[in-house]
Amino acid sequence: MDVVDILEKSLEILKAYPLCDSCLGRLFAQMGYALENWERGFSIKTMLHMKLVTLFRQGVDVTTDLKSLARIHKPTRRFLSTIGITVEEAQCYICGGLLSNVERFAKEAVSKVDGIEFETFAVGTTIPREILERESEVVKKFLVSTGESIKHEINRRIGKELLRLLGRRVDKQRPNILIKIDLINGKIDIVKNPLLIEGVYLKLSRRISQAKKFGNVKSSLLEKLQYIRDMYGGVEHIIHVSGREDSDARMLGPGRPLVVEIKQPTKYKGLPHLYSDGDVIFIPLGFTTRDEVRKLKEKAKTDIKLYRALVYSDRPLSEEELRKLAELSGKTVVQYTPRRIKRLNPRKKRTRMVYEIVWRFISSHVFELYVRCQGGLYVKEFIHGDGGRTTPSVAEILNTYLEVLELDVLSIE
């Protein structure tokens, strides 16, 4: 499409609909470069004005075209008034004047983010449905294929003004805050997106749970990580963990991956410090995303874990008998939900692999086990059998009642 085509098509559109500079220019947004839509529309109208006035002075009857242009072009109205023709200014058919100063919403939004320490933002707008319908009507009627949507223009213009006023980066994928502007009622809301901090933790106590306190549990990992919520000024924090160990099991070795989610923070800068109190060690590693949280939880099902267990046998065992445990290496273990948690789903069945099992004889009634297995294996039940709900089990192979005295997670691969 060349300049002549643009002028001819624009005149046809303006004869049918009065459009402001922005709404006319937006129909040709894909043409030209580094121009705002209002600049395109202003230029098109100026060229049309020059062309039509020249034709009129040459004796061509273009009065109707001049009147159509004059509805939304002041210089053309002035020209017509010199020849005794008065034309009333019309409101833009598409936006109704909304785009004349849409940047004003950016100025109002700036006061709303006061007190929030953020680095990135995005803009979202709600536009009156009738405006979108009128734009669609014009685009379809004149088969416009070179434009952009009014919503895109509004978001871009407000975002550009906010960029200038705030001096922060725009991030459409993962912004710290989302500035929501309702152009129907003029309401502006600030959505503070959660902050996700990844790290690893070690649990050195046998009286610390992950989230809930119960029984002889003295504290929880969630409770101890409250300092992170406070640091970022959040209203709540939750944790996402790659698997779970019992409250009486220690988490040793390089630690277990964890993500702390801070809801509605007022600060998005700076990493928390390492936490250590003798019971728990948390090592923050950096900021992460919701996608990585999903991967973390999925990975827990396929992780390979190494456990150490101290086991008591009701009857005395010999080293020779413990050698029978070799047959459990490479076995698939079938487990129904353990009795201690069967209230959740008593008949749920899972299968997990035991890759390797090693033992150390301590005394006739006590031995140590090292179990390398697939994530999700109920290790305690694998050892004592859970009354037959887990098979095969260590107790089944040794034909004795077993009790797990201590359990530690040594590594997660």
Side-chain angles (χ1 to χ4, degrees), residues 260-325:
V260 184
E261 178 177 344
I262 311 300
K263 295 182 180 291
Q264 298 186 48
T266 56
K267 178 181 176 182
Y268 289 86
K269 299 180 181 179
L271 275 177
H273 58 78
L274 181 146
Y275 178 87
S276 178
D277 67 356
D279 290 332
V280 165
I281 298 173
F282 175 67
I283 306 167
L285 298 176
F287 298 110
T288 190
T289 65
R290 189 69 67 188
D291 282 343
E292 291 303 314
V293 171
R294 283 192 284 269
K295 291 177 185 177
L296 178 78
K297 293 184 175 182
E298 283 298 315
K299 189 174 178 293
K301 300 175 184 177
T302 57
D303 279 337
I304 297 175
K305 297 182 173 69
L306 176 61
Y307 291 87
R308 168 207 167 262
L310 189 65
V311 184
Y312 170 80
S313 171
D314 190 47
R315 73 173 181 83
L317 297 171
S318 66
E319 290 189 60
E320 184 66 30
E321 287 179 288
L322 289 178
R323 290 192 178 95
K324 297 178 184 177
L325 298 180

XYZ file of all heavy atoms in Angstrom, residues 260-325:
547
model
N 10.501 -20.783 49.039
C 9.670 -19.997 49.947
C 8.880 -18.999 49.100
O 9.454 -18.238 48.324
C 10.519 -19.237 50.982
C 9.607 -18.498 51.972
C 11.442 -20.191 51.731
N 7.563 -19.026 49.246
C 6.702 -18.094 48.510
C 6.191 -17.022 49.459
O 5.559 -17.322 50.469
C 5.527 -18.836 47.881
C 4.561 -17.916 47.149
C 3.422 -18.652 46.459
O 3.536 -19.897 46.288
O 2.421 -17.999 46.094
N 6.485 -15.769 49.134
C 6.032 -14.631 49.938
C 4.857 -13.997 49.210
O 4.979 -13.540 48.072
C 7.150 -13.584 50.118
C 8.450 -14.245 50.570
C 6.702 -12.501 51.092
C 8.371 -14.969 51.873
N 3.714 -13.946 49.881
C 2.517 -13.375 49.266
C 2.402 -11.891 49.579
O 2.605 -11.466 50.716
C 1.270 -14.121 49.749
C 1.236 -15.588 49.297
C -0.050 -16.266 49.751
C -0.087 -17.725 49.304
N -0.223 -17.848 47.841
N 2.077 -11.115 48.545
C 1.889 -9.662 48.630
C 3.052 -8.960 49.337
O 2.851 -8.240 50.321
C 0.573 -9.336 49.329
C -0.646 -9.853 48.573
C -1.948 -9.392 49.209
O -2.112 -8.214 49.510
N -2.870 -10.329 49.413
N 4.253 -9.157 48.854
C 5.389 -8.455 49.475
C 5.356 -6.965 49.151
O 4.703 -6.536 48.188
C 6.598 -9.137 48.814
C 6.093 -9.571 47.481
C 4.647 -9.966 47.692
N 6.053 -6.197 49.950
C 6.213 -4.765 49.650
C 7.656 -4.472 49.242
O 8.013 -3.329 49.009
C 5.863 -3.906 50.885
O 6.674 -4.323 51.997
C 4.402 -4.061 51.245
N 8.456 -5.518 49.151
C 9.857 -5.361 48.748
C 10.241 -6.545 47.870
O 9.892 -7.691 48.156
C 10.751 -5.312 49.987
C 12.242 -5.198 49.703
C 13.043 -5.172 50.994
C 14.537 -5.145 50.720
N 15.324 -5.162 51.980
N 10.957 -6.252 46.786
C 11.343 -7.298 45.839
C 12.855 -7.342 45.627
O 13.315 -7.986 44.693
C 10.665 -7.070 44.492
C 9.174 -7.337 44.499
C 8.277 -6.347 44.878
C 8.660 -8.573 44.125
C 6.906 -6.587 44.880
C 7.301 -8.827 44.127
C 6.428 -7.826 44.509
O 5.080 -8.067 44.517
N 13.586 -6.685 46.476
C 15.027 -6.586 46.262
C 15.796 -7.287 47.373
O 15.373 -7.293 48.533
C 15.452 -5.116 46.214
C 14.811 -4.319 45.088
C 15.273 -2.876 45.111
C 14.631 -2.060 44.003
N 15.074 -0.647 44.038
N 16.963 -7.842 47.037
C 17.867 -8.422 48.024
C 17.508 -9.833 48.434
O 16.338 -10.154 48.621
N 18.511 -10.680 48.563
C 18.307 -12.048 49.025
C 18.387 -12.122 50.542
O 19.157 -11.376 51.166
C 19.363 -12.973 48.425
C 19.086 -13.547 47.036
C 20.266 -14.378 46.578
C 17.816 -14.393 47.039
N 17.616 -13.034 51.165
C 17.717 -13.202 52.622
C 19.055 -13.828 52.995
O 19.711 -14.457 52.169
C 16.553 -14.143 52.953
C 16.277 -14.876 51.682
C 16.596 -13.920 50.579
N 19.423 -13.641 54.239
C 20.685 -14.202 54.728
C 20.516 -15.678 55.075
O 19.392 -16.177 55.254
C 21.173 -13.430 55.955
C 20.182 -13.422 57.097
N 20.010 -14.497 57.949
C 19.313 -12.464 57.512
C 19.083 -14.215 58.831
N 18.632 -12.989 58.596
N 21.614 -16.385 55.160
C 21.594 -17.783 55.587
C 21.044 -17.869 57.001
O 21.360 -17.038 57.856
C 23.001 -18.362 55.518
C 23.180 -19.837 55.917
C 24.266 -20.475 55.069
C 23.504 -19.975 57.393
N 20.212 -18.891 57.246
C 19.606 -19.064 58.563
C 20.132 -20.338 59.206
O 20.203 -21.397 58.569
C 18.081 -19.160 58.426
C 17.355 -19.399 59.726
C 16.980 -18.336 60.534
C 17.045 -20.695 60.147
C 16.307 -18.558 61.731
C 16.380 -20.920 61.331
C 16.011 -19.845 62.125
O 15.349 -20.068 63.304
N 20.518 -20.241 60.472
C 20.980 -21.414 61.217
C 20.724 -21.193 62.696
O 21.137 -20.175 63.260
C 22.480 -21.640 60.972
O 22.948 -22.736 61.720
N 20.023 -22.155 63.329
C 19.727 -22.008 64.756
C 19.990 -23.296 65.555
O 19.530 -23.431 66.687
C 18.276 -21.569 64.955
C 17.270 -22.647 64.522
O 17.699 -23.703 63.992
O 16.061 -22.433 64.705
N 20.728 -24.239 64.955
C 20.991 -25.500 65.634
C 19.989 -26.583 65.282
O 20.290 -27.770 65.373
N 18.780 -26.173 64.904
C 17.755 -27.127 64.483
C 17.649 -27.202 62.960
O 17.473 -28.266 62.382
C 16.385 -26.732 65.042
C 16.284 -26.924 66.541
O 16.986 -27.811 67.080
O 15.517 -26.188 67.179
N 17.728 -26.032 62.336
C 17.514 -25.908 60.888
C 18.582 -25.011 60.283
O 18.998 -24.023 60.894
C 16.111 -25.311 60.603
C 15.985 -24.834 59.165
C 15.023 -26.341 60.903
N 19.013 -25.361 59.085
C 19.877 -24.502 58.287
C 19.177 -24.270 56.958
O 18.751 -25.223 56.300
C 21.266 -25.127 58.029
C 22.008 -25.359 59.345
C 22.094 -24.253 57.096
C 23.315 -26.137 59.174
N 19.007 -23.007 56.584
C 18.430 -22.685 55.274
C 19.431 -21.854 54.498
O 19.913 -20.826 54.976
C 17.117 -21.916 55.415
C 16.549 -21.464 54.088
C 16.078 -22.396 53.174
C 16.514 -20.114 53.752
C 15.575 -21.995 51.941
C 16.010 -19.708 52.525
C 15.534 -20.655 51.624
N 19.733 -22.306 53.275
C 20.698 -21.620 52.422
C 19.956 -21.077 51.200
O 19.573 -21.837 50.309
C 21.817 -22.581 51.960
C 22.469 -23.247 53.173
C 22.852 -21.844 51.123
C 23.363 -24.427 52.807
N 19.707 -19.754 51.160
C 19.023 -19.183 49.992
C 19.943 -19.173 48.776
O 21.139 -18.903 48.904
C 18.674 -17.762 50.448
C 19.672 -17.449 51.511
C 20.031 -18.745 52.177
N 19.369 -19.457 47.604
C 20.180 -19.525 46.382
C 19.816 -18.459 45.354
O 20.627 -18.118 44.504
C 20.027 -20.913 45.743
C 20.493 -22.097 46.588
C 20.197 -23.409 45.866
C 21.975 -21.982 46.920
N 18.605 -17.938 45.398
C 18.211 -16.926 44.419
C 16.711 -16.912 44.209
O 15.961 -17.654 44.842
N 16.273 -16.067 43.291
C 14.852 -15.971 42.964
C 14.516 -17.010 41.889
O 15.357 -17.374 41.079
C 14.511 -14.574 42.465
C 14.764 -13.501 43.484
C 15.798 -12.594 43.313
C 13.985 -13.412 44.622
C 16.048 -11.600 44.247
C 14.222 -12.425 45.573
C 15.261 -11.521 45.384
N 13.267 -17.458 41.890
C 12.870 -18.474 40.921
C 11.469 -18.172 40.397
O 10.887 -17.122 40.701
C 12.944 -19.881 41.546
O 12.776 -20.865 40.534
C 11.895 -20.066 42.637
N 10.912 -19.091 39.618
C 9.627 -18.862 38.948
C 8.630 -19.961 39.295
O 8.997 -21.008 39.832
C 9.811 -18.845 37.420
O 10.234 -20.151 36.986
C 10.864 -17.814 37.008
N 7.368 -19.724 38.952
C 6.309 -20.694 39.208
C 6.558 -21.981 38.421
O 6.275 -23.083 38.908
C 4.962 -20.083 38.809
C 3.758 -20.891 39.208
C 3.553 -20.918 40.705
N 3.207 -19.643 41.254
C 3.121 -19.394 42.550
N 3.358 -20.349 43.424
N 2.809 -18.180 43.006
N 7.087 -21.854 37.217
C 7.406 -23.042 36.422
C 8.431 -23.922 37.137
O 8.337 -25.151 37.119
C 7.957 -22.648 35.046
C 6.853 -22.214 34.093
O 5.680 -22.519 34.383
O 7.165 -21.589 33.064
N 9.416 -23.288 37.749
C 10.448 -24.055 38.456
C 9.876 -24.735 39.699
O 10.330 -25.809 40.085
C 11.615 -23.129 38.843
C 12.428 -22.638 37.654
C 12.988 -23.787 36.831
O 13.535 -24.739 37.421
O 12.871 -23.736 35.593
N 8.870 -24.119 40.317
C 8.214 -24.752 41.469
C 7.512 -26.032 41.021
O 7.590 -27.073 41.689
C 7.204 -23.782 42.127
C 6.369 -24.510 43.174
C 7.941 -22.606 42.765
N 6.824 -25.959 39.882
C 6.160 -27.154 39.358
C 7.174 -28.257 39.056
O 6.941 -29.435 39.345
C 5.360 -26.796 38.102
C 4.049 -26.094 38.390
C 3.187 -26.024 37.158
N 3.672 -24.987 36.244
C 3.252 -23.730 36.264
N 2.354 -23.351 37.142
N 3.727 -22.862 35.403
N 8.290 -27.872 38.470
C 9.330 -28.861 38.164
C 9.893 -29.466 39.447
O 10.202 -30.659 39.499
C 10.455 -28.204 37.364
C 10.061 -27.811 35.956
C 11.207 -27.109 35.244
C 10.791 -26.607 33.865
N 11.888 -25.869 33.196
N 10.040 -28.643 40.470
C 10.557 -29.111 41.754
C 9.671 -30.212 42.323
O 10.160 -31.255 42.787
C 10.622 -27.930 42.733
C 11.095 -28.213 44.158
C 12.607 -28.346 44.191
C 10.646 -27.107 45.104
N 8.351 -30.004 42.260
C 7.425 -30.980 42.820
C 7.369 -32.249 41.971
O 7.238 -33.358 42.500
C 6.044 -30.353 42.960
C 6.004 -29.240 44.016
C 4.603 -28.707 44.213
C 4.572 -27.689 45.342
N 3.221 -27.169 45.601
N 7.454 -32.079 40.661
C 7.455 -33.248 39.781
C 8.724 -34.067 39.979
O 8.694 -35.297 39.974
C 7.342 -32.796 38.319
C 5.946 -32.375 37.909
C 4.939 -33.511 38.017
O 5.259 -34.632 37.587
O 3.845 -33.283 38.557
N 9.823 -33.383 40.163
C 11.114 -34.060 40.309
C 11.166 -34.928 41.560
O 11.871 -35.940 41.608
C 12.244 -33.024 40.339
C 13.644 -33.602 40.269
C 14.663 -32.477 40.149
C 16.082 -33.026 40.114
N 16.493 -33.645 41.370
N 10.394 -34.526 42.576
C 10.387 -35.291 43.827
C 9.952 -36.734 43.605
O 10.314 -37.626 44.373
C 9.475 -34.606 44.845
N 9.165 -36.985 42.538
C 8.679 -38.342 42.274
C 9.759 -39.230 41.677
O 9.658 -40.457 41.732
C 7.483 -38.278 41.317
C 6.311 -37.469 41.848
C 5.223 -37.351 40.800
C 4.081 -36.465 41.291
N 3.049 -36.284 40.241
N 10.754 -38.627 41.062
C 11.796 -39.415 40.390
C 13.158 -39.278 41.039
O 14.120 -39.926 40.613
C 11.892 -38.999 38.909
O 12.161 -37.590 38.822
C 10.585 -39.299 38.177
N 13.265 -38.411 42.028
C 14.546 -38.270 42.740
C 15.000 -39.616 43.304
O 14.169 -40.457 43.673
C 14.403 -37.280 43.913
C 14.484 -35.836 43.453
O 15.055 -35.593 42.383
O 13.958 -34.968 44.165
N 16.292 -39.782 43.386
C 16.855 -40.945 44.084
C 17.362 -40.459 45.439
O 18.124 -39.502 45.521
C 18.012 -41.572 43.270
C 17.466 -42.101 41.939
C 18.667 -42.700 44.064
C 18.529 -42.628 41.014
N 16.926 -41.119 46.500
C 17.265 -40.680 47.849
C 18.044 -41.774 48.574
O 17.807 -42.975 48.370
C 16.000 -40.321 48.631
C 15.231 -39.154 48.024
C 14.008 -38.798 48.853
C 13.356 -37.531 48.347
N 12.718 -37.692 47.050
N 18.937 -41.332 49.422
C 19.718 -42.250 50.248
C 19.348 -42.018 51.708
O 19.446 -40.900 52.216
C 21.218 -42.022 50.052
C 22.155 -42.862 50.927
C 21.966 -44.352 50.648
C 23.612 -42.453 50.725
N 18.884 -43.091 52.367
C 18.462 -43.017 53.768
C 19.398 -43.854 54.637
O 19.946 -44.871 54.203
C 17.046 -43.579 53.934
C 15.958 -42.748 53.327
C 15.600 -42.905 51.992
C 15.256 -41.817 54.090
C 14.581 -42.161 51.434
C 14.228 -41.067 53.543
C 13.899 -41.240 52.208
O 12.882 -40.501 51.654
N 19.515 -43.405 55.888
C 20.179 -44.204 56.922
C 19.157 -44.459 58.016
O 18.453 -43.541 58.458
C 21.378 -43.463 57.499
C 21.915 -44.136 58.770
C 22.611 -43.133 59.683
N 22.823 -43.718 60.993
C 22.057 -43.536 62.062
N 20.976 -42.785 61.978
N 22.342 -44.108 63.226
N 19.038 -45.714 58.433
C 18.084 -46.057 59.489
C 18.769 -46.906 60.559
O 19.562 -47.796 60.237
C 16.896 -46.818 58.903
N 18.470 -46.602 61.798
C 18.902 -47.435 62.925
C 17.687 -48.268 63.322
O 16.624 -47.721 63.627
C 19.378 -46.571 64.086
C 20.057 -47.318 65.238
C 21.372 -47.964 64.773
C 20.317 -46.364 66.416
N 17.837 -49.601 63.300
C 16.680 -50.491 63.418
C 16.842 -51.434 64.604
O 17.930 -51.993 64.824
C 16.500 -51.307 62.120
C 15.229 -52.159 62.199
C 16.468 -50.393 60.900
N 15.742 -51.617 65.332
C 15.707 -52.551 66.461
C 14.906 -53.797 66.045
O 13.825 -53.699 65.464
C 15.048 -51.915 67.685
C 14.757 -52.891 68.799
C 15.767 -53.301 69.681
C 13.465 -53.424 68.946
C 15.494 -54.210 70.690
C 13.191 -54.336 69.967
C 14.220 -54.728 70.835
O 13.953 -55.644 71.825
N 15.427 -54.976 66.352
C 14.747 -56.246 66.070
C 14.255 -56.869 67.363
O 14.994 -56.933 68.364
C 15.694 -57.207 65.350
O 15.113 -58.501 65.264
N 13.009 -57.351 67.338
C 12.424 -57.960 68.525
C 13.147 -59.252 68.920
O 13.283 -59.574 70.085
C 10.939 -58.238 68.270
C 10.216 -58.646 69.543
O 10.398 -57.973 70.572
O 9.473 -59.649 69.495
N 13.615 -59.991 67.947
C 14.368 -61.208 68.244
C 15.815 -61.015 67.811
O 16.109 -60.213 66.915
C 13.744 -62.414 67.543
C 13.949 -62.475 66.043
C 13.441 -63.793 65.465
N 13.654 -63.872 64.014
C 14.807 -64.253 63.451
N 15.850 -64.571 64.225
N 14.911 -64.323 62.128
N 16.729 -61.705 68.421
C 18.140 -61.551 68.064
C 18.398 -62.031 66.634
O 17.813 -63.011 66.172
C 18.876 -62.408 69.088
C 17.853 -63.373 69.592
C 16.544 -62.673 69.537
N 19.263 -61.296 65.942
C 19.623 -61.618 64.562
C 21.131 -61.829 64.458
O 21.916 -61.234 65.201
C 19.218 -60.470 63.617
C 17.722 -60.151 63.512
C 17.517 -58.871 62.720
C 16.969 -61.307 62.862
N 21.503 -62.650 63.516
C 22.932 -62.864 63.254
C 23.324 -62.117 61.984
O 22.474 -61.734 61.176
C 23.209 -64.359 63.070
O 22.550 -64.829 61.890
N 24.627 -61.933 61.801
C 25.110 -61.284 60.576
C 24.712 -62.103 59.357
O 24.423 -61.560 58.288
C 26.625 -61.104 60.641
C 27.068 -60.059 61.661
C 28.548 -59.753 61.560
O 28.973 -59.299 60.480
O 29.268 -59.982 62.550
N 24.702 -63.428 59.528
C 24.337 -64.299 58.419
C 22.900 -64.022 57.962
O 22.603 -63.997 56.754
C 24.478 -65.763 58.861
C 24.217 -66.781 57.747
C 25.255 -66.712 56.655
O 26.421 -66.353 56.944
O 24.892 -67.004 55.492
N 21.996 -63.816 58.919
C 20.607 -63.537 58.572
C 20.477 -62.198 57.840
O 19.671 -62.055 56.909
C 19.738 -63.535 59.829
C 19.469 -64.914 60.424
C 18.616 -64.835 61.668
O 19.129 -64.383 62.727
O 17.429 -65.206 61.583
N 21.273 -61.199 58.257
C 21.196 -59.889 57.612
C 21.609 -59.943 56.141
O 21.171 -59.120 55.337
C 22.081 -58.879 58.363
C 21.575 -58.441 59.748
C 22.561 -57.480 60.390
C 20.203 -57.780 59.644
N 22.423 -60.948 55.806
C 22.862 -61.063 54.410
C 21.675 -61.357 53.466
O 21.754 -61.130 52.268
C 23.926 -62.151 54.279
C 25.250 -61.773 54.925
C 26.363 -62.746 54.519
N 27.621 -62.347 55.116
C 28.105 -62.833 56.262
N 27.406 -63.774 56.905
N 29.248 -62.422 56.761
N 20.580 -61.862 54.025
C 19.389 -62.120 53.220
C 18.824 -60.838 52.599
O 18.105 -60.878 51.598
C 18.287 -62.765 54.064
C 18.626 -64.127 54.632
C 17.461 -64.619 55.494
C 17.771 -65.944 56.175
N 16.647 -66.364 57.055
N 19.173 -59.698 53.212
C 18.622 -58.428 52.732
C 19.133 -58.069 51.342
O 18.565 -57.203 50.669
C 18.956 -57.297 53.722
C 18.366 -57.461 55.136
C 18.761 -56.283 56.011
C 16.846 -57.579 55.062
